[in-house]
Amino acid sequence: MPSSVETLEFQAETRQLLRLVIHSIYSNKDIFLRELISNASDALDKLRLESLTGSLAGVDISDLHISLEVDSDARTLTVRDNGIGMTRDDLVELIGTIAKSGTAGLLEKIKESKDAATTESLIGQFGVGFYSAFMVADKVTVHTRRAGNDSGTQWESDGEGSYTIQAADDLPVGTSVTLHLKPADSEDGLADYLSESKIRQIVKRYSDFIRWPIRMATDRTDADDNATSDLDTLNSMKALWARPRSEVTEHEYNEFYQQISHDWLPPAETIHMRAEGTFEYEALLFIPSQAPFDLYSRESKSGVQLYVKRVFIMDDCEALMPNYLRFVKGVVDAHDLSLNVSRELLQHDRQIQGVRRRLVKKVLGALKDMQAKDAERYAKVWDQFGRALKEGLLEDTDNTEALLELVSAASTHDPAKTTTLREYVERMKDGQDTIYYLTGETRAMVENSPHMEAFAAKGYEVLILTDPIDEVWVDQVPAFDGHRLQSIAKGQVDLDESADGDKETDGDKAQREQDFAALLPWLNTTLSDHVKQVRLSSRLTTSAACIVGDAHDVTPTLEKMYRAMGQQMPTVKRILELNPTHPLVTALRTAHHADAEAPALKEIAELIYGSALLAEGGDLPDPARFTRLLTDHLTRTL
């Protein structure tokens, strides 16, 4: 006697939700196969666990697998597993009923949402991935028998609001989901899911690391034109991150890195970690040996790959890695996330934020270890990614100290080698409590800057910072290890000794101020359109003058950067410092004392200011006037 068929109606709210899933939620229809394979993998996991610990102890689990079966004539694709299977009640609860508490509220949020990605995340929270099958199928048939039961069940629906369910005999243990496929339609994003190549592509992308073999019969023709059918395993099952590090060879790590990064060089560092507890995950991260060509491009994508229980979820998961570590490649496999979790949901998930913090600390710790144990290798990594890491000093205040320990910069200590801030501090002179630096476009320009003169003469080491981002982060970081960072081109610099190393007495300072008491106010008035102040300098030994900024002024280079980005910046007047021992300055003082109204004095003042501006690589306010004044004065000297 045939078994009776029950036809059950979905609730009204559930029908609405089902229509949304089928027609408007998922932009990528390929994921239906990912969902079904993931469900099959879960069923295999459950049978294995029950066979070891539960009521099904002793069940044969020697060949647990997933099969994909294509019937081109019937236009069906079947996903079959020999896992734990389901009872009739399981089918009704897990598949036949979408509705849960809060369905009405969920639908209201979906109606209010204007963003497809947000809508998908809301659906993802409801766990309705199975119904993505109706995006590609006119009808779905499920046959299943629970392990330990003698009879099975058939479930069938066209996704239009009802389903049928009936008993079915002679079913093997496990579950098969048969999709009666819609015709391929490229305009609607429907691929030919009967195509062997398309199926292989989807499995490789989304399910390659599922622990169970995914098999499919493949028709081939041998050398004698005889048709044969072979059973191929489509997935590699090689989830390196799920294996202990001691069991993975360096060759396997390198091969996997090159597969996910498309880099032909081996990585500079491999980080393999596992976290257990309330939120379990495994991570396999790589620090590359060389920077990709688009590392600093706005269009470049950042973040690591995200898996959930070996099922691929997304590339470039920004929520797991900050932008300044965008060069890090790898995978994170979380055990407790929904397969349909969205980028928007991840950004606000507290557990994901906790994972992110641990991953960042692990990466920074690995770089610190490399710096300590293999300075040469670290120098190469810093050369490739140092600029990106310095972005972290602006973005990641929680890890400022760790990032400062990693900073490597050129300095006046050694023209061939860079130095760390820690090494700089260890070399500081007795009594020095400040880390001195100077920013500029090139090392040569910085080394030849007038600001360097007194520091070079007196043996003070100065960091040479030439990355554009150096202009920004040094203003954001007040100190390292209790030592203040100070630009030698900003504020007052009092090295408290003369160029020959002798201490300068208070009497000497007082006499100097008296000697220039008349000239300085006159220069302040004469150059008031260009500078905010003219004062005597303690940082010059050979140059006549230099331009400096107040301690909190924006540097000219940073001012240019902001303007290039379209930001309006007020003009910042700076300070002209004079070398009181330079012959030109002393001659100007003498001439001013003799005749303060002499017309040539104002021109000399302009030339001193313009020369100081050029010496630091600045732009003259009126190049033509400067050139004419210089030419005229040179002519009069001949």
Side-chain angles (χ1 to χ4, degrees):
M1 295 290 293
S3 61
S4 59
V5 178
E6 297 178 78
T7 300
L8 304 178
E9 295 287 331
F10 293 124
Q11 297 174 1
E13 291 172 346
T14 306
R15 285 199 297 272
Q16 294 179 49
L17 189 57
L18 183 55
R19 279 197 293 272
L20 282 169
V21 172
I22 296 170
H23 299 295
S24 61
I25 297 302
Y26 295 102
S27 57
N28 179 12
K29 292 179 168 54
D30 290 356
I31 67 164
F32 82 91
L33 190 54
R34 178 196 76 178
E35 299 286 340
L36 298 181
I37 289 175
S38 177
N39 290 344
S41 177
D42 287 344
L44 295 172
D45 288 337
K46 289 175 182 175
L47 179 60
R48 180 178 180 278
L49 181 63
E50 286 290 314
S51 72
L52 298 173
T53 62
S55 58
L56 299 176
V59 168
D60 181 16
I61 57 170
S62 60
D63 187 30
L64 298 180
H65 64 276
I66 300 166
S67 297
L68 304 181
E69 301 167 5
V70 173
D71 186 332
S72 298
D73 295 332
R75 287 197 57 78
T76 62
L77 172 63
T78 299
V79 180
R80 187 185 307 277
D81 68 75
N82 56 348
I84 198 164
M86 292 177 281
T87 65
R88 178 195 180 281
D89 291 342
D90 291 335
L91 271 172
V92 172
E93 180 181 355
L94 299 176
I95 297 181
T97 304
I98 305 177
K100 297 181 181 180
S101 61
T103 305
L106 176 72
L107 287 169
E108 193 61 33
K109 289 181 181 179
I110 290 174
K111 291 175 183 177
E112 293 172 358
S113 173
K114 305 294 184 183
D115 182 9
T118 302
T119 305
E120 184 171 334
S121 74
L122 293 168
I123 291 293
Q125 295 175 51
F126 246 61
V128 293
F130 168 82
Y131 285 90
S132 62
F134 286 103
M135 295 188 302
V136 301
D138 292 317
K139 182 171 67 175
V140 177
T141 304
V142 178
H143 291 96
T144 184
R145 177 161 74 93
R146 167 89 181 188
N149 288 16
D150 295 328
S151 61
T153 309
Q154 173 183 303
W155 179 101
E156 191 169 85
S157 176
D158 59 7
E160 293 297 329
S162 65
Y163 60 91
T164 63
I165 194 165
Q166 61 182 311
D169 296 327
D170 301 324
L171 294 180
V173 169
T175 300
S176 68
V177 180
T178 299
L179 284 67
H180 303 263
L181 295 170
K182 299 175 182 178
D185 185 349
S186 58
E187 291 185 4
D188 193 33
L190 276 171
D192 180 8
Y193 295 113
L194 296 173
S195 163
E196 176 188 334
S197 62
K198 182 61 178 178
I199 293 172
R200 286 179 180 273
Q201 175 193 346
I202 296 173
V203 171
K204 188 69 177 176
R205 176 168 176 76
Y206 291 105
S207 307
D208 192 47
F209 302 116
I210 292 287
R211 75 172 67 189
W212 309 109
I214 303 170
R215 298 171 182 164
M216 183 171 70
T218 303
D219 294 330
R220 292 189 175 89
T221 304
D222 62 19
D224 298 324
D225 289 333
N226 296 317
T228 62
S229 182
D230 296 326
L231 202 59
D232 287 352
T233 297
L234 306 185
N235 59 323
S236 69
M237 297 176 285
K238 292 182 179 179
L240 297 188
W241 60 83
R243 292 160 54 186
R245 180 159 193 156
S246 59
E247 296 180 7
V248 185
T249 66
E250 183 178 359
H251 175 74
E252 287 177 308
Y253 279 133
N254 292 347
E255 189 178 60
F256 180 72
Y257 165 73
Q258 290 169 346
Q259 174 188 334
I260 64 173
S261 68
H262 309 293
D263 186 2
W264 59 277
L265 289 175
E269 187 64 45
T270 299
I271 303 167
H272 194 164
M273 59 185 291
R274 177 191 300 269
E276 298 178 344
T278 55
F279 190 83
E280 295 186 7
Y281 64 92
E282 291 107 11
L284 181 54
L285 307 177
F286 302 94
I287 299 172
S289 299
Q290 66 178 7
F293 71 92
D294 61 347
L295 181 63
Y296 300 105
S297 168
R298 289 185 179 182
E299 287 72 32
S300 68
K301 295 181 179 180
S302 62
V304 296
Q305 294 180 352
L306 175 64
Y307 284 73
V308 172
K309 288 185 279 190
R310 302 197 189 185
V311 177
F312 175 77
I313 302 300
M314 67 178 73
D315 273 318
D316 313 314
C317 182
E318 302 98 330
L320 287 169
M321 198 63 64
N323 187 56
Y324 71 90
L325 292 178
R326 57 189 175 276
F327 56 86
V328 174
K329 303 298 181 183
V331 301
V332 174
D333 189 353
H335 294 192
D336 304 304
L337 288 176
S338 163
L339 288 180
N340 296 316
V341 67
S342 73
R343 294 183 186 272
E344 289 74 16
L345 196 63
L346 287 172
Q347 292 289 349
H348 305 290
D349 188 284
R350 293 180 63 184
Q351 290 178 314
I352 288 295
Q353 293 306 306
V355 174
R356 174 189 172 116
R357 286 191 293 271
R358 288 189 285 274
L359 294 179
V360 169
K361 290 188 182 299
K362 199 73 174 178
V363 171
L364 297 183
L367 288 169
K368 181 62 179 173
D369 289 343
M370 187 193 303
Q371 183 189 60
K373 298 174 182 177
D374 192 340
E376 184 177 348
R377 182 161 56 106
Y378 178 75
K380 293 178 181 177
V381 169
W382 179 262
D383 181 61
Q384 295 291 313
F385 305 111
R387 181 177 164 193
L389 284 165
K390 284 185 282 193
E391 293 174 17
L393 293 168
L394 308 175
E395 303 170 5
D396 189 357
T397 55
D398 291 339
N399 289 296
T400 297
E401 289 301 318
L403 286 163
L404 285 174
E405 291 282 0
L406 296 175
V407 169
S408 187
S411 89
T412 55
H413 174 71
D414 189 329
K417 292 176 60 179
T418 58
T419 185
T420 66
L421 296 181
R422 179 66 59 196
E423 290 168 338
Y424 180 103
V425 169
E426 291 171 353
R427 290 192 298 265
M428 288 199 310
K429 293 166 70 86
D430 290 342
Q432 179 185 349
D433 62 356
T434 301
I435 298 173
Y436 295 113
Y437 69 87
L438 183 60
T439 60
E441 292 184 15
T442 65
R443 179 178 184 124
M445 185 177 291
V446 173
E447 285 182 321
N448 295 320
S449 168
H451 302 102
M452 280 283 195
E453 292 173 2
F455 290 86
K458 299 171 186 179
Y460 283 90
E461 182 178 355
V462 179
L463 297 177
I464 300 172
L465 306 179
T466 55
D467 272 343
I469 194 171
D470 291 333
E471 296 281 350
V472 186
W473 75 262
V474 288
D475 283 336
Q476 302 294 319
V477 177
F480 168 74
D481 196 26
H483 300 281
R484 183 169 61 93
L485 276 71
Q486 180 179 343
S487 169
I488 65 171
K490 277 188 175 185
Q492 291 277 11
V493 172
D494 186 2
L495 300 180
D496 201 29
E497 54 183 60
S498 62
D500 59 10
D502 296 330
K503 290 279 186 178
E504 187 176 40
T505 66
D506 291 340
D508 293 336
K509 290 181 181 179
Q511 182 61 49
R512 191 178 64 189
E513 294 293 338
Q514 183 179 345
D515 292 343
F516 286 87
L519 180 63
L520 293 181
W522 177 81
L523 284 171
N524 274 307
T525 302
T526 301
L527 298 175
S528 60
D529 290 342
H530 305 298
V531 299
K532 69 170 70 172
Q533 182 186 2
V534 181
R535 69 191 183 198
L536 299 180
S537 177
S538 62
R539 70 185 94 213
L540 296 173
T541 60
T542 58
S543 296
C546 67
I547 305 289
V548 301
D550 266 341
H552 302 292
D553 279 352
V554 174
T555 65
T557 304
L558 192 55
E559 195 177 331
K560 288 179 186 177
M561 288 170 57
Y562 283 137
R563 288 202 172 112
M565 292 186 292
Q567 296 190 31
Q568 295 299 318
M569 293 290 296
T571 300
V572 178
K573 288 185 180 181
R574 300 168 72 211
I575 299 165
L576 177 65
E577 286 193 352
L578 301 178
N579 179 357
T581 64
H582 194 279
L584 176 59
V585 176
T586 56
L588 179 63
R589 183 193 67 191
T590 302
H592 178 266
H593 179 72
D595 183 4
E597 300 301 324
L601 294 184
K602 289 187 178 181
E603 294 178 351
I604 295 295
E606 283 190 56
L607 288 171
I608 290 174
Y609 166 71
S611 299
L613 202 58
L614 288 173
E616 70 161 13
D619 297 325
L620 292 169
D622 190 344
R625 175 175 171 77
F626 178 85
T627 303
R628 180 174 57 80
L629 290 177
L630 181 61
T631 303
D632 290 347
H633 280 271
L634 287 173
T635 301
R636 287 198 290 270
T637 64
L638 296 175

